Amino acid sequence: MGMDRNTVIGFILIGALMIGMFVMNSKGRLAMEGEQKRIADSIAALQPKTNQTPANLPVQKNDSAQLKKDQGSFGNPSASVTTSFVENELFKITFTNKGAQPVAVELKKYNSFNGQKVELLKSDFNKISYPVNIGENKTARSEELIFSTEPVELGSDKSQTIRFKLSDSTGKQIVHAYTIHPNNYMIDFTIGVNGADRLFTQNKLSLLWQAEAPQVEKDHKYERTQSHICYKQGGDFDFDYLSSGDDKTFKKDLNWLSVKQQFFTVILGTKNGFKNAKTEWTVPTDSSTYITRVTTNATIDLGQNAVASIPLQLYYGPSDYNILNKYGNDYEQIVPYGTGVFSFVKYINRHILLPVFEFLQKYVASMGIVVLLLTLFIRLLTSPILYKSYLSGAKMKVLKPEVDALRARFTDAKTGQVDQQAFSMEQMKLWKTAGVSPLGGCLPALLQIPIFMSLYYFFQSNIDLRGKNFLWSKDLSAYDSIAHLPFEIPFYGDHVSLFTLTAVITSLIISIYSMNQMQDNSNPLMKYMPYIFPVLLLGVFNNLPSALTWYYTVSNTITLILQVVIQKYIINHEKILVQINENMKKPVKKSKLQERMEAMQETQRKLQQQKNKSGK
């Protein structure tokens, strides 16, 4: 395998990798045209109330006769629908006593693409509900029942608990208690029941959870590709793409379910496990202001006790590895730092790249410079591999006259055809005696693939990059656009990413330079390969985060400089030639595998010669 062949294999591997990434990245995408960014008219109506002491705000009085009919024994003539809110340093959550459930969640530290605070609950589709026996042969859903709201209780740890109660004269009671902890996105949600045997058929609560993922990022289609349904059942984590409407029935107990967007997630969890859980999701066929709507039905077995307490958890917050990791229960798996065949790179991201990235953030204000320094760190780690690759190439270049002589020796003077088997066998012997590894140029490229894939996932999933600007890029977690096209180019898009262009141009320069350094560039495929590979990059990178294309630009620039410096000033070709000549004088001990390979090649060569003679 010559240097030219190694380079072809390298190009093919990386090209296939890029295409594979593009396919995976596009798996959750629907064909949509004419996308326009617009703000839902309902946002203003669903905005949480002004920041004041939590209080009940009366909305509507109910007719006592109608209330008795709708709520059975729980009917209260003086009941009215009210809203209350509780907040901590991270979010503000608004509740309604109709169904005793949250109706709006505003994250204080994050803005959406329209400049307003991120809201993870802002439509009537979101609900938590279950059927309740409100009288003889009469059932109502909890979402329609009006609870009484109790004042917020402040705990010794500065946690805040708001309770909603529903009771009747016979002692039956349902209590929804929500505990919000300081500096914490996780909400402890407990459903307390007295008279479970009378309130729920067969002492089983049939829970309905509906969650809508609103559009938060500027690119609706790309945010869709980065959104998933994540879950843990029977102790095992998994996820599904949002490629289209679909459903899933869980065969094991469901520990938790998450509607995960690119950088934010909503989670419903339980400590006891949901039974017979099933979830289904739909995606809009147009450029709606939401990404998906998820409906989940599950059963909670209350046993045979009349008194029951159901511990649940609700999470409304960022898809941040460090935040989710502190809660345990594998919540950190929601952050896709490596999936599918590349799931192993999540360990590189979690234990190497993320700690270094966070360390650099402490001392460097510009996120673009952080990415640059992270690139230098990675190149420093891979420099020994890169040096060996260049050294192997230099040795093969020194051996070029001997390789050319071998090729001429096994070339038929009349036909000009090369006896490839005999030539390859002698070439292997030459490399072996000279101490040259034929895989020296291939293995370093293969070893760098995990690092590249780590960064591919890292820059798409790290919320710290979100909203951080650098040079002309307004958001390093999204593509940088310097021009919007009035039409869409297949495999490219409808915008021009400048960092993608710099990454492609530097990649093209490296490809051309490497082709000029090869032993044999007469191969027709090699004449066009340096141009084909950057074209692939142009289509794949144009919609990816600008942090990744900025990294690739810096990495390519470093590679180009290193190639020139190492090959021109560090590698001593005369010294290499002397070393090769010394190696050739030493006896070469063949391994049994090599002996068998040579014997097979020799047998094939003789068979080919006999075949040629018989043909004549």
Side-chain angles (χ1 to χ4, degrees):
M1 188 186 300
M3 182 62 177
D4 54 337
R5 213 163 158 198
N6 280 336
T7 308
V8 171
I9 291 176
F11 276 127
I12 293 174
L13 285 172
I14 299 176
L17 174 66
M18 295 299 175
I19 294 174
M21 287 192 304
F22 180 77
V23 172
M24 287 190 297
N25 195 53
S26 302
K27 189 172 182 181
R29 183 174 300 178
L30 291 176
M32 294 186 296
E33 296 180 357
E35 176 161 0
Q36 298 176 348
K37 306 297 185 293
R38 59 185 176 86
I39 304 172
D41 295 335
S42 60
I43 288 181
L46 291 173
Q47 287 286 341
K49 305 301 182 290
T50 56
N51 190 1
Q52 59 185 2
T53 304
N56 295 333
L57 304 178
V59 176
Q60 176 185 354
K61 287 285 184 179
N62 295 279
D63 178 77
S64 58
Q66 185 64 36
L67 189 65
K68 186 69 177 179
K69 179 180 177 182
D70 294 340
Q71 304 206 141
S73 61
F74 294 108
N76 182 358
S78 63
S80 60
V81 179
T82 62
T83 58
S84 309
F85 74 80
V86 181
E87 63 181 335
N88 61 12
E89 299 83 353
L90 304 178
F91 63 29
K92 177 162 59 178
I93 179 168
T94 303
F95 298 92
T96 176
N97 69 330
K98 187 177 182 180
Q101 58 186 317
V103 291
V105 175
E106 178 187 276
L107 304 186
K108 295 183 177 181
K109 293 189 176 183
Y110 301 98
N111 292 331
S112 61
F113 71 96
N114 55 28
Q116 299 186 12
K117 294 299 180 183
V118 170
E119 290 182 278
L120 296 184
L121 285 183
K122 64 176 187 179
S123 85
D124 293 337
F125 181 82
N126 297 284
K127 67 177 61 174
I128 299 172
S129 179
Y130 49 86
V132 180
N133 298 326
I134 60 173
E136 188 175 353
N137 298 322
K138 190 172 184 180
T139 302
R141 299 201 63 84
S142 64
E143 65 191 272
E144 299 297 331
L145 301 178
I146 300 177
F147 290 63
S148 62
T149 307
E150 296 194 344
V152 175
E153 296 180 7
L154 186 63
S156 59
D157 59 351
K158 296 185 179 179
S159 63
Q160 302 173 73
T161 300
I162 184 169
R163 289 184 174 86
F164 301 90
K165 288 186 178 182
L166 188 69
S167 57
D168 66 4
S169 59
T170 66
K172 291 182 295 185
Q173 185 179 68
I174 300 176
V175 178
H176 286 192
Y178 298 87
T179 300
I180 290 84
H181 303 275
N183 286 300
N184 202 315
Y185 290 103
M186 188 69 77
I187 302 170
D188 289 328
F189 170 35
T190 303
I191 301 177
V193 181
N194 187 14
D197 53 337
R198 291 176 290 165
L199 289 170
F200 306 114
T201 304
Q202 298 180 348
N203 263 38
K204 292 181 179 180
L205 187 148
S206 299
L207 185 69
L208 168 69
W209 182 53
Q210 292 185 182
E212 178 185 279
Q215 179 184 352
V216 177
E217 314 304 330
K218 68 177 181 179
D219 190 332
H220 186 280
K221 290 190 293 184
Y222 188 74
E223 187 176 5
R224 173 87 57 78
T225 67
Q226 302 304 306
S227 299
H228 307 93
I229 302 299
C230 305
Y231 49 87
K232 181 181 178 182
Q233 61 167 330
D236 298 323
F237 169 81
D238 206 345
F239 71 96
D240 282 308
Y241 289 99
L242 292 175
S243 56
S244 61
D246 207 347
D247 62 80
K248 184 175 184 64
T249 300
F250 299 96
K251 298 180 180 179
K252 301 178 182 179
D253 287 358
L254 181 65
N255 302 99
W256 53 261
L257 181 73
S258 165
V259 182
K260 182 262 175 192
Q261 298 172 236
Q262 183 175 6
F263 293 116
F264 300 94
T265 187
V266 176
I267 305 172
L268 171 66
T270 177
K271 297 179 181 178
N272 300 330
F274 296 114
K275 309 286 185 182
N276 306 315
K278 180 179 180 180
T279 188
E280 58 183 17
W281 56 92
T282 60
V283 293
T285 57
D286 57 8
S287 54
S288 300
T289 56
Y290 71 91
I291 302 301
T292 184
R293 286 177 171 175
V294 181
T295 300
T296 303
N297 288 279
T299 300
I300 301 175
D301 194 343
L302 304 180
Q304 299 301 318
N305 298 323
V307 178
S309 179
I310 306 168
L312 304 173
Q313 286 185 314
L314 292 170
Y315 178 91
Y316 303 98
S319 176
D320 185 295
Y321 176 81
N322 288 326
I323 292 176
L324 293 172
N325 188 46
K326 70 180 181 180
Y327 299 123
N329 204 17
D330 289 328
Y331 286 132
E332 73 279 0
Q333 300 276 10
I334 293 172
V335 184
Y337 274 157
T339 59
V341 294
F342 294 106
S343 60
F344 67 94
V345 302
K346 62 187 176 185
Y347 301 106
I348 299 176
N349 281 326
R350 293 174 181 176
H351 305 300
I352 298 178
L353 295 186
L354 184 58
V356 173
F357 182 81
E358 292 176 338
F359 173 80
L360 294 173
Q361 280 192 90
K362 294 179 181 178
Y363 302 99
V364 181
S366 171
M367 191 60 72
I369 302 301
V370 170
V371 174
L372 186 148
L373 294 176
L374 182 65
T375 308
L376 293 175
F377 169 77
I378 294 170
R379 297 313 303 268
L380 182 64
L381 287 181
T382 59
S383 58
I385 300 174
L386 187 65
Y387 177 77
K388 289 182 179 180
S389 174
Y390 293 152
L391 183 61
S392 177
K395 288 181 179 181
M396 289 185 176
K397 191 173 183 179
V398 169
L399 287 174
K400 186 178 185 301
E402 284 81 357
V403 173
D404 290 341
L406 283 176
R407 183 179 288 106
R409 176 182 164 189
F410 293 100
T411 301
D412 190 301
K414 295 181 180 180
T415 63
Q417 293 183 348
V418 179
D419 187 345
Q420 194 63 43
Q421 289 184 345
F423 168 68
S424 298
M425 188 169 63
E426 291 301 320
Q427 186 183 43
M428 291 291 291
K429 291 180 180 179
L430 173 65
W431 283 344
K432 185 69 175 179
T433 56
V436 175
S437 171
L439 297 178
C442 290
L443 291 178
L446 291 174
L447 291 174
Q448 292 189 64
I449 289 177
I451 294 180
F452 178 84
M453 289 306 301
S454 296
L455 292 165
Y456 173 78
Y457 286 107
F458 185 82
F459 289 134
Q460 289 190 114
S461 305
N462 195 306
I463 194 171
D464 289 336
L465 292 166
R466 186 179 183 275
K468 303 299 172 56
N469 65 302
F470 179 67
L471 297 178
W472 54 84
S473 175
K474 297 179 180 180
D475 186 353
L476 285 171
S477 69
Y479 61 78
D480 59 302
S481 178
I482 59 170
H484 184 79
L485 304 177
F487 50 86
E488 184 167 340
I489 302 175
F491 192 64
Y492 180 71
D494 59 358
H495 63 274
V496 178
S497 167
L498 184 53
F499 273 136
T500 295
L501 294 180
T502 58
V504 169
I505 292 172
T506 52
S507 178
L508 179 62
I509 295 173
I510 291 173
S511 300
I512 295 174
Y513 179 82
S514 299
M515 184 179 68
N516 293 332
Q517 298 299 312
M518 291 190 310
Q519 293 182 41
D520 181 13
N521 54 17
S522 61
N523 189 326
L525 179 62
M526 291 308 302
K527 291 182 179 181
Y528 300 103
M529 185 61 73
Y531 307 100
I532 295 175
F533 179 58
V535 170
L536 290 174
L537 292 182
L538 189 65
V540 172
F541 279 1
N542 199 50
N543 290 310
L544 294 184
S546 52
L548 181 62
T549 47
W550 165 235
Y551 159 82
Y552 209 78
T553 299
V554 175
S555 182
N556 284 346
T557 304
I558 295 172
T559 296
L560 190 60
I561 294 173
L562 288 177
Q563 280 187 346
V564 175
V565 171
I566 290 177
Q567 293 183 356
K568 296 286 186 182
Y569 303 104
I570 296 179
I571 295 178
N572 189 325
H573 293 79
E574 294 181 358
K575 186 177 179 180
I576 290 175
L577 181 59
V578 172
Q579 183 182 356
I580 288 176
N581 290 331
E582 290 295 326
N583 290 337
M584 288 183 173
K585 295 177 183 179
K586 299 177 182 179
V588 179
K589 184 179 180 181
K590 299 179 181 180
S591 65
K592 292 183 179 181
L593 177 61
Q594 185 178 1
E595 290 176 351
R596 286 196 294 267
M597 291 285 292
E598 291 181 357
M600 290 173 60
Q601 288 179 332
E602 180 65 23
T603 302
Q604 291 176 353
R605 187 180 68 84
K606 289 180 179 180
L607 290 173
Q608 185 65 37
Q609 287 178 346
Q610 292 177 358
K611 185 178 180 181
N612 293 337
K613 289 179 180 180
S614 61
K616 295 179 180 179

